[in-house]
Amino acid sequence: MSSAGLERPQVVAHVQQPLHYTLFDCKWVPRSARLLCLGSAARGTGVLQLHELRGGRLVLLSEIEKAKPIKCGTFGATSLQQRYLATGDFGGNLNIWNLEAPEIPVYSVKGHKEIINSIDGVGGLGIGEGAPEIVTGSRDGTVKVWDPRQKDTPVANMEPVQGESKRDCWTVAFGNAYNQEERVVCAGYDNGDIKLFDLKTMSLRWETNIKNGVCSVEFDRKDVNMNKLVATSLEGKFHVFDMRTQHPTKGFASVSEKAQKSTIWQVRHLPQNRDIFMTSGGAGSLHLWKYEYPAQRSKKDSEGAEMGVAGSVSLLQNVTLSTQPISSLDWSPDKKGLCVCGAFDQTVRVLIVTKLNKV
Amino acid sequence: MRGGESEAGVTGWGEGQVVSVSRRQRGSGQYLVMGDESVPFLLDQGTTKTYQIPIAHLDYKFIEKCTDVKHLEKILRVLRSGEEGCYPELTLFCEKRIEHLDPRSRALRKDKPPATASDFTAEEWETINGELMSWVTEMNEDDKKPQFPGTLHERQDNLPPIRCSSSCLSANQNEKSQDKQRNKKNIPRDYSEWDKFDVEKECSKIDEGCEEKNSKARFFNRPSLPVIEKKIDTTGMTKKEKIFIANREKEKGNEAFASGDYVEAVTYYTRSISVIPTAAAYNNKAQAEIKLQNWDSALQDCEKVLDMEPGNVKALMRRATVHNQLQNYQTAIEDLNKVLCIEPGNAIAKKNLLEIEKKLKSLKPVSETQGKGKRILIQDIEDSEGDDERGENTEESERSSGDKKSGVPVRGEAAAGAAAMGNTHRKFHTKGDGSKAEDRETKKQSGLKKGTSEENPQKHLSDHEGEVNGYLHSYQRSETPKDEKISRSRGAGSQPVGDTSSTSLPPIAAKLKSEGNELFKSGQFGDAVLKYSEAIEYVIGLGEQSPDDLSILYSNRAACYLKEGNCSDCIQDCNRALELQPFSLKPLLRRAMAHESMERYRQAYIDYKTVLQIDSSIQAANDSANRITKTLIDQDGPSWREKLPPIPVVPVAAQLHRWDGGGFTSENNPRSTTDINREEQLQMNCEKAEEKFKTLKNEGNDFIKKGRYEEAANKYSECMKLNTKECTVYTNRALCYLKLCKYEEAKQDCDHVLQIEDSNIKAFYRRALAYKGLQNYQASVDDFKRVLLIDPDVLEAKRELEEVTQLLNFDNSAVAGGQQKQRKKITIQEVTDSDEQEERRFATSEDVTGDVASKETVQMNVPPQTSEKLHISEPANAYDFGQIINAVNTSKDKAACAELLTVTDPRKLPVLLSNKLEGEIFLLFIQSLKYYVVGKDPGLVYQHLFYLSKAERFKVVLALLSKNEKEQVHQLFDALSENQNHQYSWEDLESLKKVYEL
């Protein structure tokens, strides 16, 4: 165990910082050693805190209070120079903030009737070709795509047919943005539905159900020809879909793995290596995984149609940090192995994952 | 012992109970079935409560023997739960047993706290923290730098339009979708509507613009393949951003590589390189290309890496692999030796070296087993290299330190190179015997040159591959023509280089030059540059006596610069060489390569095209031009040609009429005769011509059907007189020629088509067949591959490709069989080598000896002072013209100059002058026109003046004229207006005057 164990990546808790509010999301500010914590203060207002990592501790740079609790945020649709933060709050508002002047948002829209559960951006930060776009998923059952250059109305909107029950959309993610035209949005719902919307053809490209509520979906990379998608679920399982080969009837091949005995709240791929990802669990644990490709990624079925072959997933490391669920997780885009996670024990933790190069 | 383990082991009874109950309540299926709640608390002492495992199984002996992992996992759970008592040792033993049987068993997963300092050695802990600290400091420093407010707007201009903006919605849709679309922006659509959406229509609308732009690029890709831009638009990006993006693209490449998608990997490496060229990206790309068996590209990438980091072991290893694949065993061995110089302990290098040496030995007896052996070797190399691939990234930081180390190895490298050269040198002496050694030598060289087959005699010109032997070969030969000049036997070529001092160069310069050559051969390019520079200075000091020699010196120095990766100096030297010797092949090729490696693709393309105009059979230039075409299409879209600077028209005399015997003009002739064709066309009634064209074509087609290919070819040729643009006629004629076994003509026709339409599948296919007929299997294979790239379903092409590949392999291994070919090759090489001293060739057949050419040269080189009266004939090319002008200029012989101008077609003037128009010459022209011509033929004077203003450097020269000189020009114009006639109007003259700034 000793020698072999040390060769594996280790997770070091670099900083643990208690906070005075409920933390929903935390994000690294690109090209900096700063991170943002988004959450809800005890009196029901939104909190946005900017911390800087300085010599083994986090220094609070600024704190801003907003009317509604902030559920989620992303830098995905902003340029490296601007670094505007897009947030979704409990009131269904999508706001874009200039962190230098955070008093009024640079863009604001009441996008949804209810809470925005999840947000993702693409086309910024040099990640993803094409227009900068933000996607939001809400409890009102809709998934909307926004272009910061277009006020008030979404550029695409995906919602259930009139009369059909509205499902709570828990998570959204962009993918397939490898050229200016191609782009997909993947959304996960509380009933276990996963839907893949193709924004180029404006069609529902694929859907499946993983039986339990989908807590988090993420493509391994947003800016390549769709390669893999990880979807985590309420009951502790996650599924990895090989998105390269879509079979006409069977869809995408997948492998599933049980990580822990509690909800997997979040999955995040290492920005520097798409085959490594971390899941954060309800029991305060983190699992680091590696996906291994099969020898052949596709094969022909009896009718000659191409179908994908799923690979396997192996656990690289797991740690338990808290007794409370870890609800958010974010890898630093600039420093390999540096990540931040926020848990419901009102603590933000900066972690270092070592030896990711040798995986 | 770890905290987690002991915790699990030492839990007490009560606690364990709680754990197991809580597990049941969580109720994952497995537990529910097994742990039935109805089982009484004290049912049976013989089994455990939870899984009904016999108690006897909780035993060292049983666990040791048990191989059922599932069962063991159950035992472990029971043990951990503590329900049967607490046995830490047994638990541990059971864990170990499971780990032994199935290291990835989920039962082994335990909650662990995060690692702390105690989990690492002090050093590791320090590095971990240190790295983070330095990163934090770096980031904070970056942050304090001012941001770039100005760039914001620029960036937004580059952004693609907003999706589904109202502009792309038109009302002329069918009724159903109409209101849907009207409301589309505001009223949300539901899932079912998403499905009903008219995808095709919407798509085509959205992409209308892009579709057209990409149509050409897509043609090359399979339709199913994703279109990924090969280049990234980096306008308005800061350096940091560029680094970030280049890194990211490289990472994407690495990932694609890891998942086995090498094509994608190459794409992403290319993208990374397009942002910032790094050795690591090139190196990785080389590896991906190796996997794709694109040996040529892999070789180029390795060269690039080695240009940047001469001691890069991986690049050397990879280049060795490529050379091995291309069967350049000698060079492969050299590379491996270099590797071993740097890393004496490199096991893979040693192993490969042994194998290649073995292969080299067994090369003489042609054996069928060779192929098999080779295959195994590839596998080996790939596997091992695949392993370090992953490390590539991680070692980047170490690389910088590696670079410092490489300072030493370079010397070793040079030494190794020198040793190898010694070898080849010896072989070279035996060359006259036509022994196998020589065959292998040439073969190796030919393979080296971008993998083209040995059929292409000229490719040794493309010595940018620049292996020591290659240079040895070409330079040894470059001496030969000079020997011939002084009418020595051809055998003199094998003499020591130092003996050839009796060229037209002064002895000191010749000595410097040969020293330079020697240094170059031994790979000491820096020293060679010094020698050449000395020689150049010396020659210049003597005055402009021998532009040809000076040109060679420049050209040679350019080669050194190219090898050193000093592209800008290389280009400068090439320019000088070309000024002295317009349209000489080597400087053109070198400049092309330099441009290419500086990513100035347009200029490179122009140069390659010029080379091809001079000699269309230089495979390296052909390949490069094709490659660059693709790059340019990627870069500029389908209208890339419009962005090109004009391709200089090579005077006919500078072109090599190698294939005159076939009675067919070379590919660029149609272009030069288009003027005539156009006139003819104008005269003819257009409709009539078209009709005639059609009938002729149909007749040709009929002849083909009847199998009368000769007549068909004739008909098509007639067609071409009417219309040179129609590709089908050329492809059809190519078919006829193929049937008639006139492969060369067929190839020419295909070339022509491909110039017009660079993705004509038929032309590629037929050219491939032609190459096959010409036994140029490598080129043939390339073309077949292109065919398959355009349309992967062409069965014939696949079949042919297999066949040709076999032939190629056979041909490469059949050493003894190639003697006749070799001989032919040598003659051609002799001929082309004479271009070292001058490009002009009067060859009508391949058997032209150097003597004829050299006699000509001697004639030309006669110093003008010696003969009072110059014999003026119409200059055939810029070189001739330059020679005569030089002669005339030195004697200031205005009469001769006037004579020259009268015999010269004014329209050719800009070409003939190329870039050598100088104030003196200009003045001479003006004076001679004024004194001798204007009275006789004012029309001609006007024409000359008109075309003179089109010449390169005209503006410069004009700007430098003195007042006095301007006056002379003015006088000439006055004379012109006095003698005005119908050939030019008064307005013409006035406008021309303006051009002359009068």
Side-chain angles (χ1 to χ4, degrees), chain B residues 875-982:
Chain B
N877 58 15
Y879 174 72
D880 279 4
F881 190 78
Q883 289 285 315
I884 299 170
I885 282 292
N886 272 342
V888 170
N889 193 21
T890 41
S891 59
K892 298 282 176 223
D893 188 343
K894 286 172 203 128
C897 183
E899 201 180 328
L900 174 68
L901 288 174
T902 30
V903 295
T904 313
D905 181 357
R907 276 177 295 180
K908 281 194 194 162
L909 208 54
V911 177
L912 291 172
L913 277 167
S914 87
N915 52 1
K916 295 204 290 194
L917 185 61
E918 282 165 28
E920 272 191 343
I921 297 173
F922 180 79
L923 209 61
L924 190 66
F925 277 9
I926 297 295
Q927 287 170 347
S928 46
L929 285 174
K930 194 168 88 184
Y931 294 127
Y932 294 93
V933 192
V934 82
K936 284 184 236 162
D937 190 353
L940 186 71
V941 174
Y942 172 78
Q943 291 265 316
H944 268 304
L945 286 174
F946 180 76
Y947 283 102
L948 190 61
S949 69
K950 301 269 185 274
E952 228 176 298
R953 287 177 56 83
F954 169 75
K955 291 268 170 213
V956 182
V957 168
L958 204 61
L960 295 173
L961 285 185
S962 68
K963 220 175 189 179
N964 193 11
E965 288 160 343
K966 273 232 158 134
E967 189 51 40
Q968 296 199 27
V969 182
H970 210 282
Q971 285 168 8
L972 179 59
F973 270 95
D974 287 346
L976 261 185
S977 49
E978 276 166 28
N979 297 321
Q980 198 192 353
N981 69 1
H982 63 280

Side-chain angles (χ1 to χ4, degrees), chain B residues 295 320-329 374 377-378:
Chain B
W295 309 120
T321 312
V322 174
H323 281 315
N324 182 21
Q325 287 304 319
L326 298 172
Q327 308 197 322
N328 307 322
Y329 299 125
K374 188 172 79 191
L377 186 71
I378 307 170

Side-chain angles (χ1 to χ4, degrees), chain B residues 173 398 465 471 483 502-503 551 558 607 646 841 879 958 990:
Chain B
Q173 295 290 308
E398 295 161 33
E465 262 30 297
Y471 279 104
D483 293 349
S502 42
T503 58
S551 163
D607 278 346
R841 291 228 301 104
Y879 174 72
L958 204 61
E990 279 306 301

Side-chain angles (χ1 to χ4, degrees), chain B residues 442-600:
Chain B
T442 25
K443 174 175 261 186
K444 185 175 62 197
Q445 195 203 344
S446 67
L448 165 79
K449 303 307 167 199
K450 308 200 69 198
T452 48
S453 102
E454 61 214 85
E455 279 304 292
N456 262 292
Q458 303 253 347
K459 64 188 148 323
H460 77 278
L461 289 172
S462 71
D463 29 18
H464 89 290
E465 262 30 297
E467 289 315 313
V468 175
N469 325 22
Y471 279 104
L472 170 69
H473 205 93
S474 57
Y475 277 87
Q476 192 91 22
R477 290 191 165 283
S478 78
E479 305 299 337
T480 317
K482 292 180 195 88
D483 293 349
E484 284 170 353
K485 208 192 254 177
I486 52 166
S487 58
R488 279 200 190 167
S489 74
R490 203 175 291 165
S494 59
Q495 277 185 338
V497 192
D499 275 12
T500 56
S501 54
S502 42
T503 58
S504 60
L505 275 179
I508 299 170
K511 187 158 174 283
L512 283 168
K513 184 185 158 197
S514 60
E515 278 171 8
N517 289 355
E518 282 293 330
L519 285 167
F520 188 92
K521 281 177 230 159
S522 57
Q524 288 156 290
F525 306 117
D527 297 338
V529 166
L530 291 179
K531 289 286 173 200
Y532 288 134
S533 308
E534 268 182 63
I536 289 167
E537 267 174 43
Y538 184 80
V539 173
I540 290 175
L542 289 179
E544 260 188 68
Q545 270 190 343
S546 43
D548 42 356
D549 282 314
L550 202 55
S551 163
I552 294 169
L553 284 171
Y554 277 127
S555 166
N556 285 3
R557 194 169 70 177
C560 298
Y561 283 134
L562 189 63
K563 279 306 291 177
E564 285 184 321
N566 185 349
C567 294
S568 50
D569 277 340
C570 171
I571 290 171
Q572 249 179 19
D573 270 356
C574 291
N575 286 342
R576 285 187 199 124
L578 287 167
E579 259 173 49
L580 295 162
Q581 280 277 33
F583 305 115
S584 40
L585 274 176
K586 283 200 178 187
L588 271 173
L589 264 170
R590 281 176 192 145
R591 191 169 68 181
M593 284 158 196
H595 276 311
E596 196 184 349
S597 51
M598 289 174 89
E599 299 190 20
R600 295 180 186 163

Side-chain angles (χ1 to χ4, degrees), chain A residues 8 11 34 81 129 133 149 157-159 179 189 221 223 244 257 274 314 317-320 357, chain B residues 104 106 109-110 112 115 143 160 163 188 190-191 194 226-227 241 248 252 255 264 271 394:
Chain A
R8 301 196 304 180
V11 181
R34 282 167 302 182
Q81 289 144 3
E129 309 263 327
E133 280 176 343
R149 295 169 294 173
N157 187 344
M158 295 141 256
E159 72 168 359
N179 65 21
Y189 297 85
R221 273 196 192 261
D223 55 350
R244 272 293 155 88
E257 175 74 28
R274 68 179 181 192
S314 60
Q317 189 57 274
N318 64 311
V319 289
T320 306
N357 291 336
Chain B
R104 294 169 71 170
R106 285 176 204 168
R109 290 178 194 162
K110 280 178 291 191
K112 272 185 265 175
D143 250 9
R163 187 180 302 277
D190 55 43
Y191 299 144
W194 276 81
V227 187
E241 279 178 285
R248 197 175 158 82
K252 284 199 246 173
E255 290 165 356
E264 193 182 309
R271 278 164 69 92
T394 72

